[in-house]
Amino acid sequence: MVNYPKVVVTGASGFIAKNLRKHLSAKNIEFISISRNDFKKFKCESKIISNYFDEKNLLTKIKNSDVLIHLVGIGKQSVNTDYHIVNTGLTNYMVNLSKKAKIKKIVYLSGLGVSSNTSIGYFISKYNAEQQILKSGLNFTIFRPSYIIGKDDYFTKYLKKQVKKGEIKIPGSGKYSIQPIHIDDVVKIIFKSLSEEKFKNKIIDLVGSETITFEKYVKLFSKGTNTNIKKINLEDSYHNAITNPKSDFGIDDLNILIGNFQGNHTKLKKLTGMKFESVMKLLESGRLL
Ligand SMILES: NC(=O)c1ccc[n+]([C@@H]2O[C@H](COP(=O)([O-])OP(=O)(O)OC[C@H]3O[C@@H](n4cnc5c(N)ncnc54)[C@H](OP(=O)(O)O)[C@@H]3O)[C@@H](O)[C@H]2O)c1
């Protein structure tokens, strides 16, 4: 029988965390979730509401848990929140707090395309967060996900909104590719990483089986609806991202989208032994709309 660990989840009201918490609860895993905002608890869940991960409030509550799943992150900067503070700084902070709490392992979601050669600000902050974890001496599993797709992810919500308005804008040619992975598969893999030895101290690409151009993705997504697909000059897209804080795509959203980042799905399939959801089939079925 597998002896499941006691788990702590940060960023509890985020997209991945919500789906993961539901899964942990369904598996009867005891877990503690931390968020800045109040939220409804699942079965087997304890909650901590904390604005600044204040040590006094947290330490005794999370002490002697086994695994921290750190799901705090931002993909857009402002003068109030920047990548360095949130993505790198809070990871570093949680690594140190985990050590004090005698937590043995950290699971972290980085990003597909993160590497020591990157010049993208978002990826640099993720790379530096990874380095904090590698240096910590804690056991770890670091995942580098592509676009994670479900009913309530940002990408899908954004496209749904565009479909409602009757027009989807594609920055540039749309010929660049993404390798989406379904949230249910992501949650299952994170769950496996909590107890299976083969995930220990690895950095793993989290990518689906299909590589698909953005143009094709958008066409399939909006199939059967009355949606006009409009290509926007890339220079105009970047100009909008730079000058309009409310633009659909931020600068790094564009960098990542057109970056053509690819991962090794075969390796992931072998490691997990799982059968993966086909995001293409999901798109074709119209179930994401
Ligand atoms: N979704 C994807 O496709 C994808 C792909 C690659 C990597 N990732 C990474 O996976 C992680 C989770 O992603 P997600 O899609 O679930 O993102 P999300 O829905 O935006 O959730 C991120 C959570 O981070 C917490 N957070 C944000 N800013 C914070 C701040 N200043 N101080 C403290 N907490 C803050 C919030 O938690 P509370 O509101 O609960 O406090 C927020 O809900 C992130 O690190 C992200 O970069 C996601």
Side-chain angles (χ1 to χ4, degrees):
M1 204 182 100
V2 186
N3 198 2
Y4 281 112
K6 226 177 127 187
V7 175
V8 179
V9 179
T10 59
S13 28
F15 160 62
I16 300 170
K18 265 195 235 157
N19 285 278
L20 178 70
R21 288 167 42 229
K22 196 171 166 193
H23 190 78
L24 292 174
S25 171
K27 294 276 182 189
N28 290 318
I29 305 293
E30 220 189 298
F31 65 108
I32 301 168
S33 299
I34 309 173
S35 176
R36 294 165 302 173
N37 311 299
D38 200 6
F39 58 91
K40 200 165 167 257
K41 277 194 303 179
F42 287 108
K43 174 182 62 124
C44 305
E45 182 175 38
S46 320
K47 72 175 162 183
I48 303 176
I49 309 301
S50 165
N51 251 325
Y52 304 104
F53 296 102
D54 161 39
E55 186 174 324
K56 258 199 213 138
N57 175 20
L58 288 190
L59 194 55
T60 49
K61 293 179 184 154
I62 65 171
K63 202 156 190 135
N64 297 320
S65 297
D66 299 295
V67 186
L68 171 83
I69 309 178
H70 186 50
L71 295 174
V72 166
I74 53 166
K76 227 176 194 171
Q77 306 195 92
S78 70
V79 287
N80 300 320
T81 48
D82 69 47
Y83 296 147
H84 180 68
I85 294 173
V86 179
N87 294 349
T88 314
L90 282 180
T91 304
N92 190 25
Y93 181 83
M94 287 312 294
V95 161
N96 289 328
L97 199 61
S98 299
K99 282 185 173 175
K100 285 188 192 166
K102 308 251 180 299
I103 290 175
K104 299 169 215 63
K105 172 166 178 161
I106 177 158
V107 175
Y108 180 62
L109 268 71
S110 179
L112 184 69
V114 168
S115 82
S116 56
N117 306 319
T118 189
S119 58
I120 299 177
Y122 169 76
F123 282 166
I124 292 173
S125 69
K126 289 283 189 183
Y127 179 79
N128 288 334
E130 288 185 356
Q131 291 299 308
Q132 300 296 340
I133 294 166
L134 297 183
K135 279 193 297 197
S136 69
L138 294 171
N139 290 333
F140 67 87
T141 305
I142 293 172
F143 291 109
R144 290 179 173 165
S146 179
Y147 290 86
I148 302 173
I149 305 299
K151 271 236 165 252
D152 45 356
D153 69 278
Y154 288 108
F155 200 51
T156 304
K157 282 203 279 201
Y158 161 73
L159 289 177
K160 268 193 224 174
K161 223 165 70 189
Q162 303 295 300
V163 167
K164 262 201 189 135
K165 284 186 188 160
E167 184 170 272
I168 299 183
K169 296 188 184 85
I170 294 183
S173 69
K175 303 288 182 220
Y176 39 81
S177 296
I178 60 172
Q179 216 174 344
I181 181 165
H182 195 272
I183 182 66
D184 291 353
D185 290 335
V186 168
V187 156
K188 281 183 207 156
I189 295 168
I190 295 176
F191 183 70
K192 278 173 173 285
S193 77
L194 301 179
S195 59
E196 293 185 23
E197 193 66 17
K198 57 189 174 182
F199 289 87
K200 189 173 160 186
N201 297 342
K202 292 218 168 82
I203 299 182
I204 301 163
D205 291 345
L206 221 45
V207 290
S209 58
E210 299 139 334
T211 300
I212 173 168
T213 66
F214 187 57
E215 184 178 24
K216 186 160 184 203
Y217 191 96
V218 160
K219 277 187 180 156
L220 283 177
F221 187 92
S222 58
K223 207 177 83 177
T225 67
N226 207 0
T227 310
N228 179 36
I229 294 172
K230 188 175 172 191
K231 290 186 181 170
I232 308 287
N233 176 291
L234 203 51
E235 190 176 328
D236 292 343
S237 303
Y238 270 100
H239 187 259
N240 195 29
I242 292 163
T243 54
N244 173 10
K246 291 201 174 114
S247 66
D248 293 329
F249 293 101
I251 297 163
D252 281 329
D253 293 328
L254 288 170
N255 290 337
I256 294 167
L257 189 64
I258 68 168
N260 249 324
F261 296 106
Q262 312 287 311
N264 191 336
H265 177 74
T266 312
K267 201 168 159 191
L268 181 67
K269 197 170 174 200
K270 222 165 138 189
L271 180 76
T272 57
M274 279 172 34
K275 192 173 176 310
F276 283 71
E277 282 267 3
S278 160
V279 174
M280 290 260 252
K281 277 199 189 134
L282 205 66
L283 286 168
E284 276 162 0
S285 71
R287 272 186 289 145
L288 279 178
L289 261 178

